[in-house]
Amino acid sequence: SQQGEEDPQALSIQEGENATMNCSYKTSINNLQWYRQNSGRGLVHLILIRSNEREKHSGRLRVTLDTSKKSSSLLITASRAADTASYFCATDGSGGSNYKLTFGKGTLLTVNP
Amino acid sequence: GAVVSQHPSWVICKSGTSVKIECRSLDFQATTMFWYRQFPKQSLMLMATSNEGSKATYEQGVEKDKFLINHASLTLSTLTVTSAHPEDSSFYICSAPALREGLYEQYFGPGTRLTVT
């Protein structure tokens, strides 16, 4: 099956709540990245976590990485309606400027005001 | 920061015609760029790797004669959809890697929505 699979596929929460999305992958990676995409728009890079890191924070975002389980999670705290978007994890297995990203299927997050 | 642009942002063409999409790295050089296709409510699928000065590398199942890629300079890659058909209607996104904090990060263009009628 596809490298980088997120769950849940869709998540609906109320503003102010936390949102957690998970991603699993199958092969070894150098790093894992999370992206956000608003409907019909390009991708916005959120955060990159290296394979030797276990947790990383950026503002209201917290990403964890468990290489033994080949999984990662993205936590958005104190969600806002503006956080409504699709979130994708992407893995890079080769490094260097020629590396290719493999994207998961994404989680559609809806934050209700 | 690194910015990638795409042109056009959307295009409508008739079946059988060809469409060219440009991807530019505005403030950095990229010897490699990537082209992705995204169908509605689906994830991004890598189509090909565009290499400056050499042929593009296509992913399995992608027709190289249909999706022509030219990496004309260190800041420009073009994707031409030849003899477009309605099934080619999709969102096409390019990316280019730039060095940040010792790692290459991919910077994505805003995408081009192609509709073939």
Side-chain angles (χ1 to χ4, degrees):
Chain A
S1 59
Q2 186 174 349
Q3 177 93 327
E5 298 191 6
E6 290 92 336
D7 76 87
Q9 292 188 354
L11 179 62
S12 181
I13 60 174
Q14 294 299 123
E15 206 165 25
E17 294 180 340
N18 296 340
T20 300
M21 291 160 269
N22 302 297
C23 166
S24 62
Y25 57 93
K26 295 187 180 302
T27 62
S28 297
I29 62 171
N30 287 328
N31 59 68
L32 185 145
Q33 303 178 58
W34 284 90
Y35 289 86
R36 164 200 168 118
Q37 183 182 36
N38 287 77
S39 181
R41 310 288 287 274
L43 272 73
V44 175
H45 183 265
L46 294 177
I47 197 164
L48 178 152
I49 186 166
R50 303 182 189 215
S51 60
N52 61 354
E53 297 177 310
R54 291 296 166 259
E55 188 171 311
K56 201 164 184 179
H57 296 254
S58 177
R60 293 185 296 114
L61 306 179
R62 182 171 78 99
V63 169
T64 63
L65 179 63
D66 187 335
T67 52
S68 66
K69 295 181 179 178
K70 290 187 168 58
S71 68
S72 173
S73 68
L74 170 67
L75 168 68
I76 303 175
T77 60
S79 64
R80 305 166 182 168
D83 294 328
T84 295
S86 291
Y87 292 82
F88 296 93
C89 70
T91 53
D92 148 37
S94 57
S97 64
N98 286 339
Y99 77 95
K100 300 185 294 188
L101 292 179
T102 302
F103 282 85
K105 295 178 181 177
T107 294
L108 176 59
L109 173 66
T110 302
V111 181
N112 302 298
Chain B
V3 178
V4 175
S5 70
Q6 279 184 245
H7 177 80
S9 56
W10 60 270
V11 58
I12 301 173
C13 72
K14 292 186 177 181
S15 189
T17 61
S18 295
V19 174
K20 180 184 285 188
I21 302 170
E22 293 185 349
C23 177
R24 292 182 185 272
S25 55
L26 296 185
D27 49 1
F28 66 101
Q29 295 182 332
T31 57
T32 303
M33 292 183 178
F34 300 91
W35 286 96
Y36 295 83
R37 179 167 56 182
Q38 184 181 33
F39 292 107
K41 297 185 178 180
Q42 294 190 23
S43 187
L44 281 75
M45 295 298 295
L46 179 65
M47 299 175 65
T49 303
S50 174
N51 304 300
E52 192 270 336
S54 64
K55 293 182 179 180
T57 307
Y58 291 83
E59 296 299 302
Q60 191 173 8
V62 177
E63 301 175 58
K64 60 182 178 182
D65 293 331
K66 180 167 187 60
F67 299 100
L68 300 180
I69 291 173
N70 181 32
H71 203 125
S73 72
L74 289 172
T75 58
L76 173 63
S77 173
T78 60
L79 168 69
T80 301
V81 183
T82 63
S83 187
H85 291 283
E87 56 265 31
D88 298 323
S89 298
S90 188
F91 194 55
Y92 292 87
I93 306 176
C94 71
S95 73
L99 198 60
R100 182 184 175 192
E101 297 180 0
L103 276 181
Y104 279 98
E105 287 188 12
Q106 292 285 355
Y107 290 86
F108 286 82
T112 297
R113 183 161 304 283
L114 170 64
T115 302
V116 184
T117 61

